[in-house]
Amino acid sequence: MDHSYQAWQDVLAEEFFGRQHAGHPTLFYVDDDVEQELRHGYGMEEPLAQCVGRFLRLETAEPYSALEDYRWRRRQQDKGGVPAFLPLLACSVIAASRMVNDRNHRATAYHARFSELLTGDEKRLGSHHYEPISRMWQVLASWQHSQKGARGLCTLPAPADLPSNRSMIGFAQSQALLSGADRSFLPKLFRSVREHGTTWPLPGETLLTQVEIRGMEQHFSKNFRNALQEEEFRPFLAKLIGNYAASWDGSDELVPTGVTRAELLVRLDAGRLGWVARLRSAEHEERIELKGGVVLDQLGDTAYYEVTGLPAPSADTLTKGVRRDGDGLVLSRPASSVLVLARDDVLGVWAGTDGFRPGEAHVVLAAPTAQRDVQRLLDKAATTGRSADTSKLAWVPQGWSLHKPVTFDDAVTLRRALKEVQGAVGLLQPPAQFKLRLEGGLKLAPSLDPHLYLRGGEPQVIFPDATEGTGTLLVDGKERPELRKAIAAGRPVPLAVLRLEAGRHTVSCAGAEIGFATADQAVVEPKVTRVCGFTVADGTASASPSLLDEQTLPTGVTGADCTSATPRDAAAVMELCRRDADEVLFAAADGRLWTLQVPEQPDWWTERLPDTPAPLHFEAGFHGIGGWLLERRSGRWKGRPVNPGTPKPKSTGNPRAWARAVLNAQQASDEPSWAAYVQAAKELDR
């Protein structure tokens, strides 16, 4: 795979899934105009579709296999990174953006446009080739959900949300429904609708109806207007616009991309309602000051903050919404007539949640305008908490009703009831699930094995939405009758009831399989593979820490004093590297290439060393070697010379790997010395 494909991957990852999207609904919207803007803005030489088309294996049954193989290789290097098939998915969205009636195709002819885009021939790629791409979309959605909003809130539909005739192409279509201009118009629509009613946020179907009643369709793109007319695709368009309404904080524009959004949540603790903020960003400051005297103080080492300077939650602040601005940060909560609280594992108290969680207890508060919708939902689907609590509790907002504890033991019934009732509760769907996974359980020594559980404390199994309530679950290859009731209800399936023996176990459903182990105690000592310390040669300790291997560990300084060691006098080049960089490489002038691993900071440093290194950096020492130090952060490469010298990559090392790394990072610096490295890499790459 040449460097141009990885360059497009990095551009798309930064543009649509960078950390600047934290806390924002993210659409992977790419049309022909956006593709040209990205190409010119990032200096891409090759058009996106042309780049992707070069790596298709068109004469085989699996034309995308080279791209899938590349994704797996990248995953081995960066397991938490954006899945490396974004260029192909971007092309699938471009094809969806072209779905209008023309002289050659009907508006529904997707595969002809996709094939023509990538191959120049509308018949070379057909619908029977497309299934791997639909799986890629689901992998992308699962990855985005796993980031917990830090790389943008997922707007991809769950498989169950798509009409049967769009089960594969619906993922790409969903991202082409709202253009950038559409999204900038949404706040005007929301404000216009909300001024004529007190219940907010309204469900998406109601908003679409208002668009039609008010004749506002002409303000939206052609793709939006076409979807508005389609009976089968309209429900997902309603969910998409409803999610944007639920994240709107009442201002004249959606929180701009690049500005961190702190979510303002309601907390119930010791019989009193209060505020707590949650940040989706990767870096968290200990204290944040906003306008109007509002201050956020971090709660321990978590993403949550104590909020001071705001009036306590009340009927007025809950129904009108709250927004406070700061330097690069917006603290906001959209207006809402329904408040749902659930137990928060981090806070240890009741806190606001985005949707109902099947099988868990909730506290539900409803404003007078929403009480009818809430009661209808509870009558249809709730197992407990149907009757309103009539006790006069001081913390309940004036005029609001209270239901507790509200549980929904049947997730299938809950989803059906939410679709039927809509109204003020229409947006409280359970969180989307895209893959089979384990949740909860009592883990034994997670650092030793993240999938090792105490026998009798096995985890629960969460079904993907596509198989909810209908899948066949196999435990160690066998169907277990005692689990059928939970499976049919679509609830998390508890494995502890099976009384499994200690050892390895597997859980499988619809072709997906996950494994775990159980034990009565963790008796295996952890194997130390990487130790941070100071190497010692001839009784002299190095001036900087490094990772010790099997050869240097016995004589190195780790948790014990080495009284005979003295600082090294030999000159060495020392560089500080960012700990939060996605990748740190050193390209030596002689063609060798190293990946610099981030060393952990041992506890004993503060006891044995006079100065503790800054937590944002780690030291890298270079003894008798020159080259370029390269760091990738948020998809961008930056480089610093370290006695660079003249590059002679053919003399030693792995020249091909060296050349790929240098070409991937060719924008890292404008210095002439780096230009010589790039030129040497291009000569090797010919």
Side-chain angles (χ1 to χ4, degrees):
M1 194 68 67
D2 80 10
H3 70 277
S4 63
Y5 183 89
Q6 180 58 39
W8 267 113
Q9 167 72 20
D10 292 340
V11 165
L12 295 168
E14 169 63 18
E15 189 72 17
F16 295 100
F17 304 102
R19 300 190 187 279
Q20 72 272 20
H21 293 287
H24 301 255
T26 310
L27 273 172
F28 191 17
Y29 181 86
V30 188
D31 60 14
D32 293 303
D33 292 337
V34 172
E35 190 270 349
Q36 286 190 24
E37 290 174 9
L38 294 175
R39 198 190 329 160
H40 297 312
Y42 286 88
M44 307 299 294
E45 297 179 1
E46 188 174 23
L48 174 62
Q50 180 179 316
C51 174
V52 174
R54 287 193 294 111
F55 300 105
L56 300 183
R57 296 171 177 170
L58 295 174
E59 308 307 324
T60 69
E62 298 179 350
Y64 314 113
S65 58
L67 304 180
E68 291 185 277
D69 292 344
Y70 179 71
R71 182 254 165 166
W72 280 109
R73 292 198 300 273
R74 293 292 302 178
R75 187 174 183 272
Q76 299 306 311
Q77 301 171 21
D78 184 8
K79 292 187 177 181
V82 189
F85 38 54
L86 294 187
L88 178 59
L89 297 189
C91 289
S92 73
V93 179
I94 293 176
S97 73
R98 295 180 177 182
M99 291 177 67
V100 294
N101 281 314
D102 56 30
R103 295 179 181 178
N104 301 318
H105 309 105
R106 294 172 306 183
T108 56
Y110 173 85
H111 294 289
R113 289 177 172 84
F114 184 61
S115 180
E116 189 173 46
L117 174 68
L118 290 181
T119 71
D121 184 339
E122 64 182 41
K123 296 182 179 179
R124 295 197 73 178
L125 294 172
S127 58
H128 58 289
H129 294 121
Y130 199 80
E131 186 175 348
I133 297 179
S134 69
R135 291 198 302 268
M136 293 178 193
W137 278 111
Q138 294 181 62
V139 169
L140 177 62
S142 290
W143 170 82
Q144 203 174 1
H145 280 294
S146 74
Q147 303 299 304
K148 302 185 184 302
R151 307 297 280 271
L153 303 178
C154 185
T155 60
L156 298 179
D161 293 330
L162 295 173
S164 58
N165 64 337
R166 311 287 178 88
S167 61
M168 291 192 292
I169 68 174
F171 298 106
Q173 283 185 291
S174 74
Q175 302 302 286
L177 295 181
L178 288 174
S179 67
D182 291 337
R183 279 168 275 157
S184 66
F185 177 71
L186 288 180
K188 297 178 183 177
L189 167 66
F190 298 155
R191 183 177 294 281
S192 173
V193 174
R194 199 178 73 175
E195 286 175 352
H196 294 83
T198 55
T199 300
W200 190 267
L202 291 171
E205 186 58 47
T206 303
L207 290 169
L208 294 184
T209 302
Q210 289 294 322
V211 167
E212 294 170 317
I213 292 174
R214 297 162 185 261
M216 303 176 83
E217 302 97 319
Q218 70 272 15
H219 295 288
F220 288 93
S221 64
K222 186 173 291 185
N223 281 330
F224 180 95
R225 297 198 302 271
N226 289 341
L228 194 61
Q229 303 303 317
E230 286 194 53
E231 260 187 54
E232 290 184 312
F233 214 75
R234 181 176 172 129
F236 177 71
L237 180 62
K239 176 170 284 191
L240 186 63
I241 198 172
N243 287 340
Y244 270 94
S247 66
W248 179 56
D249 61 10
S251 57
D252 292 332
E253 60 179 7
L254 298 173
V255 176
T257 298
V259 175
T260 301
R261 178 170 182 260
E263 301 168 89
L264 188 62
L265 306 175
V266 177
R267 175 176 62 181
L268 173 59
D269 186 13
R272 184 176 61 181
L273 291 182
W275 298 114
V276 65
R278 178 173 62 194
L279 267 66
R280 305 282 192 176
S281 59
E283 296 183 6
H284 298 121
E285 299 179 28
E286 291 184 2
R287 185 179 177 87
I288 303 171
E289 297 184 3
L290 307 176
K291 295 177 182 178
V294 177
V295 178
L296 310 183
D297 289 300
Q298 189 176 16
L299 294 171
D301 187 20
T302 72
Y304 290 92
Y305 286 75
E306 187 78 38
V307 180
T308 55
L310 280 180
S314 64
D316 186 56
T317 53
L318 293 174
T319 53
K320 288 185 178 179
V322 179
R323 174 169 172 146
R324 295 291 187 276
D325 293 85
D327 185 14
L329 182 140
V330 169
L331 172 69
S332 67
R333 181 184 188 277
S336 179
S337 56
V338 178
L339 174 62
V340 178
L341 307 172
R343 296 292 297 186
D344 188 284
D345 293 336
V346 177
L347 296 174
V349 297
W350 297 91
T353 182
D354 298 330
F356 292 114
R357 304 171 186 171
E360 294 188 24
H362 306 81
V363 173
V364 181
L365 296 163
T369 54
Q371 288 170 9
R372 180 173 175 271
D373 294 331
V374 169
Q375 191 61 60
R376 287 180 59 208
L377 173 70
L378 300 183
D379 288 342
K380 286 176 175 290
T383 308
T384 64
R386 293 184 181 182
S387 300
D389 189 323
T390 57
S391 58
K392 302 296 182 181
L393 299 175
W395 55 268
V396 177
Q398 187 174 5
W400 285 45
S401 64
L402 167 67
H403 294 261
K404 67 175 180 67
V406 175
T407 58
F408 299 93
D409 283 345
D410 192 318
V412 177
T413 302
L414 170 60
R415 289 184 185 275
R416 189 182 302 124
L418 285 168
K419 290 180 180 179
E420 292 175 1
V421 174
Q422 285 290 314
V425 296
L427 297 170
L428 295 169
Q429 293 276 355
Q433 305 295 336
F434 287 87
K435 62 181 180 181
L436 192 71
R437 64 185 181 89
L438 301 176
E439 182 179 80
L442 299 175
K443 292 188 176 182
L444 274 175
S447 60
L448 180 63
D449 184 347
H451 305 298
L452 177 64
Y453 297 86
L454 179 67
R455 184 169 172 245
E458 292 83 1
Q460 296 177 321
V461 180
I462 309 296
F463 275 79
D465 290 346
T467 59
E468 186 178 80
T470 60
T472 299
L473 183 70
L474 302 179
V475 180
D476 296 335
K478 299 178 181 178
E479 188 174 0
R480 303 297 292 262
E482 52 266 64
L483 302 180
R484 288 175 184 167
K485 185 175 180 181
I487 294 171
R491 297 197 307 270
V493 180
L495 298 177
V497 301
L498 299 179
R499 301 180 182 276
L500 298 171
E501 294 294 328
R504 304 295 308 180
H505 303 280
T506 59
V507 176
S508 58
C509 177
E513 183 177 281
I514 47 181
F516 66 97
T518 59
D520 293 314
Q521 58 182 343
V523 296
V524 182
E525 292 293 330
K527 182 180 179 181
V528 178
T529 57
R530 292 165 52 195
V531 175
C532 188
F534 297 80
T535 57
V536 176
D538 299 327
T540 301
S542 63
S544 61
S546 61
L547 293 177
L548 306 183
D549 55 25
E550 293 181 0
Q551 287 74 33
T552 57
L553 181 58
T555 59
V557 180
T558 55
D561 288 320
C562 185
T563 53
S564 61
T566 57
R568 181 186 297 273
D569 295 324
V573 178
M574 182 65 61
E575 293 288 337
L576 290 180
C577 306
R578 294 283 299 227
R579 285 182 176 270
D580 60 350
D582 298 321
E583 193 173 8
V584 182
L585 303 176
F586 183 73
D590 60 9
R592 288 181 289 175
L593 180 72
W594 286 275
T595 298
L596 276 64
Q597 300 288 345
V598 180
E600 296 181 1
Q601 181 173 309
D603 295 336
W604 55 265
W605 275 16
T606 56
E607 302 171 2
R608 303 284 170 80
L609 299 175
D611 296 308
T612 303
L616 290 179
H617 298 85
F618 67 95
E619 297 174 342
F622 301 91
H623 302 268
I625 189 170
W628 273 78
L629 183 64
L630 306 171
E631 291 181 331
R632 178 169 62 86
R633 295 178 63 211
S634 300
R636 302 287 179 88
W637 286 96
K638 290 187 178 180
R640 302 196 301 277
V642 182
N643 296 332
T646 302
K648 298 179 180 179
K650 293 183 180 180
S651 60
T652 185
N654 186 340
R656 291 188 62 186
W658 184 91
R660 285 197 301 270
V662 171
L663 291 174
N664 283 342
Q666 58 183 294
Q667 306 298 328
S669 176
D670 295 325
E671 291 191 26
S673 168
W674 178 242
Y677 276 64
V678 174
Q679 183 59 38
K682 288 181 177 179
E683 292 174 1
L684 282 174
D685 199 47
R686 287 173 181 169

